[in-house]
Amino acid sequence: QVRLEESGGGLVQPGGSLRLSCVASGSIFSPNVMGWYRQAPGKERELVASITTGSFIQYADFVKGRFIISKDNAKNTMYLQMNSLKPEDTAVYYCKIEYYSPIRNYWGQGTQVTVSS
């Protein structure tokens, strides 16, 4: 069983920063991809950033230059450093890990990020 737990969300003013963490526990062995997603009220869940086993990184266009994804394999933890936050970044942020063979996806329960003055 795999468990993912996000933390680090909260209320921040526009232009501020937050650092999200996602700790993985259980039967984990080199996920193929780890990623951060977000879902705003009334909108579909969307990819924010992802990082592969080989540390290939992708960002959604709307966070490029502002967010940084990273991971610490020794701690089974993934991070999302969010800078220059905007009100439109307000959403529940989820972490996800993916395995390709066999295909398995695991999600965390999410952490709320609210950007407001």
Side-chain angles (χ1 to χ4, degrees):
Q1 188 68 19
V2 174
R3 175 183 169 88
L4 302 177
E5 185 169 357
E6 303 96 335
S7 62
L11 173 64
V12 63
Q13 292 186 343
S17 298
L18 283 175
R19 188 194 196 202
L20 305 183
S21 299
C22 173
V23 179
S25 60
S27 301
I28 304 161
F29 181 75
S30 299
N32 293 100
V33 183
M34 301 180 72
W36 288 99
Y37 289 72
R38 72 185 188 185
Q39 188 166 18
K43 295 187 177 181
E44 294 187 352
R45 193 171 298 188
E46 58 185 358
L47 175 67
V48 175
S50 64
I51 182 168
T52 68
T53 302
S55 295
F56 177 76
I57 291 173
Q58 288 186 308
Y59 293 102
D61 287 343
F62 52 78
V63 302
K64 283 182 180 178
R66 300 189 298 125
F67 291 10
I68 301 172
I69 188 172
S70 62
K71 61 178 179 171
D72 185 334
N73 291 330
K75 296 181 179 180
N76 289 330
T77 302
M78 177 176 63
Y79 304 97
L80 185 68
Q81 177 66 42
M82 305 187 295
N83 302 318
S84 302
L85 283 161
K86 304 175 181 180
E88 51 263 44
D89 293 318
T90 295
V92 178
Y93 284 71
Y94 300 89
C95 64
K96 176 187 178 183
I97 61 175
E98 303 175 38
Y99 296 89
Y100 292 161
S101 182
I103 296 175
R104 290 169 291 155
N105 296 320
Y106 300 95
W107 291 90
Q109 291 188 328
T111 184
Q112 175 71 46
V113 171
T114 302
V115 185
S116 175
S117 55

